């Protein structure tokens, strides 16, 4: 799907497509770039194998835990992935299925060209097709370029909610206590 499909005027042509198994190494590299951007370069623990298994279950009958969309440009006659969106369906007892955007990342030199917006729109369209009642994501409080972007597209910031989590060790400890 190209940029014009989304009604977006862009300075550079790009295409979006659902990621396939061959894209997993590139997506993992982008995840590492995202972690560096988010000031957590050593935080990525997922392996290529785990990302592959979670995105493309081997048994063919299990539903994936997540999906990925990639953005590609053509540069020097070569296709190059320059961004991705990772998303999944979560559930809310008040409204039902929720589309959750886990990660949205576009390489710095390709930002402000409409790629991030197009990726977000494609995930939104997937959510509509899947019957989701809402579309949710998180952003770091210091990431003002992204916050400004989300405000411009009309998203609502839920400032009253705080995020809590256990890491794996904490979860295991809590589960066994």
């Amino acid at each position: 799907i190209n940029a014009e499909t989304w009604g977006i005027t862009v300075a550079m042509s790009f295409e979006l497509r659902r990621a396939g198994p061959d894209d997993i190494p590139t997506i993992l590299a982008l995840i590492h770039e995202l972690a560096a951007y988010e000031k957590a370069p050593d935080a990525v623990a997922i392996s290529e194998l785990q990302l592959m298994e979670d995105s493309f279950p081997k048994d063919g009958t299990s539903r994936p835990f997540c999906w990925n969309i990639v953005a590609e440009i053509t540069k020097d006659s070569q296709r190059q992935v320059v961004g991705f969106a990772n998303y999944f369906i979560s559930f809310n007892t008040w409204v039902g299925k929720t589309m959750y955007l886990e990660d949205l990342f576009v390489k710095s030199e390709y930002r402000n060209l409409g790629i991030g917006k197009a990726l977000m729109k494609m995930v939104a369209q997937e959510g509509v097709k899947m019957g989701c009642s809402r579309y949710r994501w998180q952003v770091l409080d210091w990431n003002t370029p992204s916050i400004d972007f989300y405000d411009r597209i009309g998203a609502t910031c839920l400032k009253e909610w705080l995020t809590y989590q256990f890491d794996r060790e904490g979860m295991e400890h809590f589960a066994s206590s």
Side-chain angles (χ1 to χ4, degrees):
I1 299 172
N2 61 34
E4 292 76 31
T5 304
W6 305 104
I8 297 171
T9 303
V10 296
M12 176 181 285
S13 180
F14 63 88
E15 291 186 6
L16 303 182
R17 63 174 173 77
R18 288 178 188 232
D22 291 344
D23 293 305
I24 293 298
T26 302
I27 292 168
L28 186 56
L30 291 171
I31 290 169
H32 282 279
E33 284 188 53
L34 172 61
Y37 174 78
E38 292 183 346
K39 303 174 185 173
D42 299 323
V44 178
I46 195 166
S47 67
E48 191 175 303
L49 177 63
Q50 188 67 55
L51 184 57
M52 177 71 77
E53 290 175 351
D54 290 346
S55 302
F56 302 98
K58 289 181 182 179
D59 64 13
T61 60
S62 298
R63 182 175 173 182
F65 285 99
C66 65
W67 299 277
N68 296 283
I69 297 168
V70 293
E72 288 185 321
I73 63 159
T74 301
K75 186 175 183 179
D76 300 325
S77 301
Q78 299 289 321
R79 297 179 79 74
Q80 178 183 354
V81 173
V82 298
F84 81 105
N86 174 278
Y87 60 101
F88 61 91
I89 302 293
S90 67
F91 187 81
N92 180 279
T93 57
W94 293 2
V95 300
K97 291 183 284 188
T98 297
M99 179 59 73
Y100 194 88
L101 178 66
E102 177 62 28
D103 282 332
L104 174 70
F105 182 74
V106 177
K107 288 176 171 260
S108 60
E109 61 268 32
Y110 299 101
R111 293 186 188 142
N112 299 309
L113 300 173
I115 296 170
K117 184 175 184 179
L119 285 163
M120 284 196 73
K121 280 188 172 194
M122 191 165 178
V123 173
Q125 288 187 345
E126 290 293 308
V128 169
K129 280 189 233 172
M130 293 180 185
C132 294
S133 298
R134 67 177 162 202
Y135 185 9
R136 184 171 270 188
W137 61 93
Q138 293 178 307
V139 63
L140 291 166
D141 61 0
W142 56 261
N143 190 348
T144 54
S146 294
I147 292 167
D148 292 345
F149 168 66
Y150 301 142
D151 288 341
R152 280 194 312 274
I153 64 171
T156 302
C157 179
L158 305 176
K159 293 181 180 182
E160 66 275 13
W161 287 91
L162 301 175
T163 301
Y164 286 83
Q165 75 176 26
F166 283 122
D167 61 13
R168 178 67 188 202
E169 184 179 320
M171 181 174 59
E172 289 172 351
H173 179 264
F174 181 69
S176 65
S177 65

